[in-house]
Amino acid sequence: MPIETWELLSYVVTVLGLPVAIAVFLFEKRKERMAEEEEVYEALAASYQDFLRLALENPDLRLVSKARTDDLTEEQRERMQAIFGLLIALFERAYLLLYETHLSGKEARRWRSWEDFMQEWCGRDDFRIAMPALLQGEDPAFAAYLRKLAAETK
């Protein structure tokens, strides 16, 4: 082949091949990022399921009741406080990993499911009463967000 043909082929590869390679690279990176986001969401969902199992393992605390539980022993109150502490930690982790001010699409749906969980627990009197102590030392933006949800849920 003459040198001009090789030169022409090298231009074709540069003009067509390089943009295609960049597009494929960007597509793969986006796919990786989406897989990582899905993995984070799945891990959080598994942690919440573990929490719900813990709540079910403690029926004496009546954790799924919306009404305040007044007739608990000191030991039961301590267990309830510890369980609520675990829940706050889980909610904070979800907030830090999933929440952004302007979400759309799949990210917005994922966040709304966590927001629903938070609202549900904020509707529980015992949880709302325990919240101020549990939010001390937590991320300030998360604490403000959860306080706002609790105020709206009352």
Side-chain angles (χ1 to χ4, degrees), residues 61 70-81:
L61 301 179
D70 290 321
D71 57 339
L72 296 177
T73 66
E74 189 60 33
E75 183 269 336
Q76 287 173 315
R77 289 210 178 282
E78 286 177 21
R79 272 192 296 135
M80 180 181 280
Q81 193 74 2

Side-chain angles (χ1 to χ4, degrees), residues 2 9 11 14 33-34 36 40 43 48 53-55 59-60 62 71 80 87 92 102 120 123-124 139 152:
L9 289 174
Y11 289 141
T14 302
R33 188 177 65 246
M34 289 172 64
E36 288 171 2
V40 165
Y48 188 66
R53 276 189 212 94
L54 179 64
D60 60 319
R62 296 184 291 275
D71 57 339
M80 180 181 280
L87 184 60
E92 181 181 31
H102 302 289
E120 182 181 327
R124 179 168 164 50
D139 179 76
E152 292 170 356

Side-chain angles (χ1 to χ4, degrees), residues 104-118:
S104 63
K106 195 176 231 178
E107 291 86 14
R109 285 193 307 275
R110 286 178 181 150
W111 175 248
R112 279 194 298 270
S113 70
W114 279 97
E115 190 175 57
D116 288 345
F117 296 149
M118 291 178 194

Side-chain angles (χ1 to χ4, degrees), residues 17-64:
L18 187 60
V20 168
I22 291 171
V24 167
F25 174 78
L26 293 174
F27 176 76
E28 289 299 319
K29 281 295 188 188
R30 182 173 181 262
K31 210 163 79 170
E32 265 179 46
R33 188 177 65 246
M34 289 172 64
E36 288 171 2
E37 288 171 0
E38 185 68 29
E39 192 175 310
V40 165
Y41 180 76
E42 290 299 323
L44 285 169
S47 293
Y48 188 66
Q49 288 174 351
D50 292 342
F51 171 80
L52 291 177
R53 276 189 212 94
L54 179 64
L56 291 173
E57 290 168 0
N58 290 278
D60 60 319
L61 301 179
R62 296 184 291 275
L63 291 170
V64 293

Side-chain angles (χ1 to χ4, degrees), residues 84 121-132 150-151 153-154:
F84 285 161
W121 283 96
C122 285
R124 179 168 164 50
D125 293 336
D126 286 340
F127 182 77
R128 239 187 358 268
I129 291 166
M131 260 182 39
T153 305
K154 276 186 185 177

